Each structure stands twice: as C-alpha cells, then as structure tokens.
Amino acid sequence: MKSQDELGVPVPANKPLVVRTIKKVTKEQREYVLEKTEYNMFSFPADLTFVDFLSDSGSGTMTDYQWAALFHGDESYARNKGYYVLLEAVRDTFERGDNPKRSIDLILSGETNVKKLIDELYITSYEGGFVNGGIHQLTRPNAFIVPQGRCAEHLLFSTIAPLLKENKNITYYIPNNGHFDTTEANIVANGIKAINLFSANLMEDFPYDEMDKRNPFKGNMDLEGLEDLIQDKSVESIPLIYVTITNNTAAGQPVSMKNIKSVHKIAKKYNLPFFFDACRFSENANFIKEFEEGYKNRSIQSIVQEMFSYVDGFTISFKKDGLANMGGGLFFRDKGLFHKKFSINGDIGIRLKERQILTFGNDSYGGMSGRDIMALAAGLYEVIKQPYLNERKNQVREFARKLAKNGIPVILPAGGHAVYLNMDKFFEGTDMKIEDFGGVGFTIELLKHFGIRAVELGPFAFEWDKKTPEQRKGILNLVRFAMPRNVYSASHIDYAVAAITELYHNKEKIPKVRISRGAELRLRHFQTGLQPIYKS
Ligand code: F0G
C-alpha cells in the first residue's frame, strides 16, 4: 500500500467553510453593462462576473486564525496593540528565520501579566535591523505602515526625489527587473526614469511537462544590463536598485537567490542601496526551495531571512501572497546604506515619518484600521506555511498546464500567482498589430461571452503609444489571469480553460480596440474609456 505522500497527488491543505453563490448573469446583461462601463475591466461590477482573475491583490480568503486575530483589533488612535504585534511579526518574518518570537500569541491568548507585556511587547529595544523598537523607532524611525503597496512607493519616491534634485539636478534612473505599473508611475511622477531590466530568457519556450522538474528563474534581473546602465549613466544618477520578487510585470516569474546575491554584489561594488519590491516574497521563497540547489531542506522562514539579508530595505504590498486584504509598508535597514545616503540635512526616517503623518495618519496605524493590522500580522505567519504555498503553486501550474495542452500560448513555466498569455503569439496569423490592443479585445470578449475577468498587462497598460522606441523594448504583450488565494477550485479553472480555448479558436473574431476617452491620463488603464471595433 502506498503512503499518503506516494499517491502522486498532494494531500489537501485546507477546506473552505464559507460559500458565496455566483449569480446567473446572461451574456446580454454583461454586454449591456460593458457598454455602459466603457468596456474597461476596472469599471465592470465584480458581482456580475462568474470567475474574477483581475487580481490576487487583497482578494484572497483569510484563514480562521486571521479572522480570530481580527477580533482583537484595537482602534485606538495612537499605539494600538496591533502596531506592536505587527512590528514583531515583521521582525519574525524578515529577520528571525527559524527562531520567531510570535509575540502575537501574547495578545491572542489574552495574556494578563502586565510586566511580560511591557517587557516583551510594548517597551522593547531594537536597532540595526529593518524595524527599530522602543526609543530607537522614535528617534530613528525606519518602519512605516501604509494602506497598500503604492502608498509605500509614493512615500519613498516623493521623499527622496526632492533630496536628489536639491543635491544635484541631473536625470536619475531607477533600474528594476520589472517595475510594476504603480511603481513605475510613482517613480515617473517624481521626475525619475524607470528602467526595466528583464532576464534575456523570459520569452524562451519551455515544455509544459517539465514544470515540476526545473525552473529557469525567468524573473531574474539582467545583470549585464545593470552593470551597463550604471557605467553608461554614472553611479550618481542611480538613487537605488530595485528587484521585484516575484516579477509580476515579467509574467510573475521568480527570482533566484543567486541573482539576488549577484545584484547585492553589484550594489555593494558601486555603493548603491538595494531594495526589494517584496510583494509575493513567500511565493518567491517557495520557488527557491523547490528548484535552487542547496535549499530543498531549508524552511521558507530561513530562505526569506537569507533573501532579505542582502537588501537595504523594501517596499511591500501586504495584499499580495494572499497575505491579507489590506496593508503595505516601507522598511529600511537602520544605519544602512539607504539611511546614510539619504540622511542629508536630517534623518531620512524623520522626513518619511512626517510625510507619512501628513498623508496616512499617525505612524502606528498608517491609514489602516486596527482590525486590518491584526489580520495582517496574523497573515504573516500563515503565508509562510509550506502546504498552503504548495497548493497555491500547484493550482497556478495546473491552470497553465491545461492551457498549454490545449495549444494556448501561455508563458511557461507558470509563475507564482498568475498565468500569463503571450498575446503576440496568440494573434499570430491574424492582422492584429501591437497598437490594436488585441489583449484588451480578448479580455472584453472573455468577459462578454463567458463572464470571466482577466487583465491586459501589455501595450495598453504600459502605454506603448506614449513611449519612445527604446522604452517600448521594456513592454511585453501579455494578458494575466491572477489567482486569489483559496478562492477558486479546479471547476473554476476548467471553466476558464474551456472559455479561453474557445476564444483562441475564434481569434479572428476578437475586435481591435480604440481608446475613446482619456488616452493621455496617467495610469490610464484604470480609468480610460474603450471602444471595441467589431468587423461587420
Ligand atoms: N508592486 C507589485 C509587484 C505589485 O504587483 C503591486 C500591485 C504593487 C507593487 C502595488 O501594490 O496594489 O497594494 O498598491 N499589484 C496588484 C496586481 C494591483 O493586481 O498585480 P498595491
């Protein structure tokens, strides 16, 4: 008799105990609503979709542990309980590896020993890491809670840009293995140029039946490109180096530890601060564990600890990784390179804190409710669990495998949180050109005919028509199906695979799309009006 681990299918990792009924909407009703909402995916009512793959951001299912933590939320204006619990959870997650303190349990277990609470939670003393504690967080703040990732990006870039310009009025560049749209927009809004350095192997073919065997880490940063950029533009024109884990803009592909180490080495050589966009850090760590030599027997916690030991700071959306429904943060190493470089005429942490208070509220809640803070802190302990991570990874992989088997051009191997279609290949043999926004036409038809929502992350989202030929090289032509954590099952995926395949076989009928309103708006894919042009 085989054992439970030898059956060839994984043991289930959880069971959903709340069910929401999907409404029986007709194609005609969706067609009407699409027209009334200018055919923009972001304007379509979610309640009228059957399956919503628009984003994995904040759209996941919380665990019972998180719901329990939520009830402990403290809505005090300053220094709510959750603030301390969250700072400890961030230290546990990113710095303590296999030796977490789990101070959250003091609160969840109703600890009444006041001395213990003071000594272990409320009046602690930490310095030198990503989260100063006690007096050091007051005098040298380095941990900033905000409602979501882009708020952290805004806080960071709007604070450093004036300092840079004051110091030297030159053109600045921030390289990334793949800037997310909001990251790029926040950088550009502050007068800095955003450069994508994708890995050269990103669009290479990969056999779908080898996804369980090997992974080429297509999310890596192009190291040669990075050296060339620094040499070409000068060290002083690069405020910092950014690496996104996993690389959402590059088809959700993971970044290897080897690549992270190499970027760290280059950053050190040129004395440049190195930051992560740490959205989906635990999914990235799980890829390292599965595929990179030397990490098989390491825990996710210790892999995360090692990854973060190479950086000077990070921005993060805690809405990713299926971690929580709300939350974001900016953290940097106390007295590290970033701290030194930007503490010009005063401590950079104090400057950031002032801006945080101006924009998001007291630093101990940062625009979050106390309940959200508790759910987020609890989520940091849930998201690193191996069975959950494996189940999620397998689900995304299975989705990609089923599409590939049907001949659909999907980027392989599958990334961590989403499946991406290669729309250049999808439209091969038709007269669709990149400026026709065929990916958008595809998402409109998929929603109209089958009630499935996906999103174009290509020439429309990344504004191909507004860019120079050089900048256009940094744009891929993709459509993304993002998987919210613990929301969908195999039946949703099978339905989606059948629908996507049907559209692929009818690709001649997919309309070109014109922007009917707001082509010039910033982050336009969230707000423009669109018009599909159907062949008569
Ligand atoms: N960085 C990356 C890599 C992201 O994927 C996102 C958001 C952000 C930053 C911004 O975080 O939404 O909390 O403000 N990505 C979502 C998505 C929206 O659908 O991929 P946020």
Side-chain angles (χ1 to χ4, degrees), residues 54-57 147-151 153 178 180-183 244-249 277 279-280 316-320 327-328 417 457 480 482 526:
L54 185 67
S55 180
D56 61 323
S57 180
Q148 57 182 92
R150 68 200 66 187
C151 309
E153 295 161 0
F180 188 64
D181 58 7
T182 61
T183 325
T244 306
I245 49 170
T246 57
N247 193 341
N248 190 7
T249 299
D277 174 339
C279 301
R280 309 180 180 91
I316 187 164
S317 166
F318 290 117
K319 301 173 72 167
K320 311 300 185 302
H417 69 292
L457 286 178
R480 184 186 77 173
F526 296 117

Side-chain angles (χ1 to χ4, degrees), residues 146-442:
V146 288
Q148 57 182 92
R150 68 200 66 187
C151 309
E153 295 161 0
H154 165 75
L155 188 60
L156 175 62
F157 299 119
S158 68
T159 307
I160 65 168
L163 290 174
L164 288 165
K165 301 243 157 78
E166 234 172 69
N167 193 33
K168 204 159 215 179
N169 208 1
I170 55 171
T171 305
Y172 289 98
Y173 302 85
I174 295 188
N176 198 322
N177 55 334
H179 286 284
F180 188 64
D181 58 7
T182 61
T183 325
E184 176 173 325
N186 268 303
I187 289 172
V188 173
N190 284 292
I192 302 173
K193 295 208 181 306
I195 308 286
N196 283 342
L197 298 172
F198 297 129
S199 177
N201 64 353
L202 176 58
M203 301 308 271
E204 276 174 13
D205 287 342
F206 187 94
Y208 67 77
D209 52 359
E210 289 192 18
M211 281 195 284
D212 293 331
K213 295 188 189 130
R214 63 187 175 95
N215 191 296
F217 288 96
K218 291 175 164 188
N220 283 350
M221 179 173 252
D222 168 9
L223 299 170
E224 243 173 68
L226 178 61
E227 284 264 13
D228 288 351
L229 182 83
I230 299 170
Q231 301 274 351
D232 191 33
K233 307 289 186 199
S234 85
V235 176
E236 62 178 355
S237 73
I238 317 274
L240 50 91
I241 301 170
Y242 231 122
V243 164
T244 306
I245 49 170
T246 57
N247 193 341
N248 190 7
T249 299
Q253 300 290 313
V255 179
S256 69
M257 191 73 89
K258 189 167 167 224
N259 191 252
I260 293 169
K261 271 193 217 172
S262 303
V263 175
H264 167 72
K265 226 169 157 183
I266 294 172
K268 224 170 147 194
K269 175 169 148 194
Y270 295 104
N271 218 22
L272 291 170
F274 174 21
F275 265 55
F276 277 148
D277 174 339
C279 301
R280 309 180 180 91
F281 67 92
S282 68
E283 286 164 14
N284 200 94
N286 203 28
F287 276 100
I288 290 174
K289 183 176 168 74
E290 186 179 8
F291 292 112
E292 206 166 341
E293 216 182 313
Y295 291 94
K296 275 229 162 12
N297 298 321
R298 294 263 300 270
S299 67
I300 295 295
Q301 289 94 313
S302 84
I303 295 172
V304 171
Q305 181 188 29
E306 182 182 338
M307 286 159 67
F308 283 76
S309 71
Y310 298 118
V311 294
D312 297 292
F314 56 100
T315 53
I316 187 164
S317 166
F318 290 117
K319 301 173 72 167
K320 311 300 185 302
D321 259 334
L323 206 159
N325 297 128
M326 206 61 209
L330 163 63
F331 304 86
F332 62 81
R333 201 176 289 289
D334 183 34
K335 298 181 188 163
L337 205 48
F338 173 81
H339 183 235
K340 287 200 188 102
K341 178 167 177 171
F342 289 100
S343 290
I344 310 163
N345 301 328
D347 188 273
I348 182 67
I350 297 281
R351 272 184 208 270
L352 285 162
K353 185 164 162 178
E354 275 169 10
R355 192 170 286 268
Q356 179 193 31
I357 296 169
L358 271 174
T359 325
F360 302 109
N362 183 276
D363 60 311
S364 59
Y365 72 89
M368 300 260 288
S369 76
R371 285 181 282 271
D372 280 327
I373 290 175
M374 282 304 292
L376 157 56
L380 280 166
Y381 297 99
E382 298 290 74
V383 78
I384 44 153
K385 287 182 178 167
Q386 191 71 61
Y388 147 67
L389 282 170
N390 281 348
E391 191 166 84
R392 176 164 173 70
K393 180 188 66 187
N394 289 340
Q395 188 181 43
V396 173
R397 205 172 281 175
E398 197 50 28
F399 189 2
R401 194 162 14 227
K402 283 177 175 169
L403 286 170
K405 274 187 180 168
N406 283 4
I408 314 294
V410 50
I411 306 279
L412 296 174
H417 69 292
V419 166
Y420 295 69
L421 303 191
N422 177 344
M423 299 316 285
D424 286 337
K425 277 206 175 151
F426 187 100
F427 284 113
E428 265 172 15
T430 72
D431 65 350
M432 191 72 78
K433 292 198 275 302
I434 191 146
E435 61 269 34
D436 296 329
F437 303 135
V440 180
F442 166 81

Side-chain angles (χ1 to χ4, degrees), residues 37-43 460 463 466 515-530:
T37 53
E38 299 180 293
Y39 297 93
N40 187 317
M41 291 298 116
F42 292 93
S43 307
F460 170 60
E463 309 184 344
K466 288 192 209 167
I515 300 174
S516 54
R517 184 182 61 75
E520 293 312 313
L521 296 171
R522 179 171 280 154
L523 282 170
R524 70 178 184 198
H525 53 305
F526 296 117
Q527 40 176 344
T528 52
L530 296 162

Side-chain angles (χ1 to χ4, degrees), residues 447-471:
L447 184 54
K448 182 173 90 185
H449 288 279
F450 303 111
I452 300 171
R453 180 159 64 169
V455 67
E456 192 253 18
L457 286 178
F460 170 60
F462 290 99
E463 309 184 344
W464 191 88
D465 43 308
K466 288 192 209 167
K467 292 191 166 161
T468 62
E470 190 54 32
Q471 290 170 325

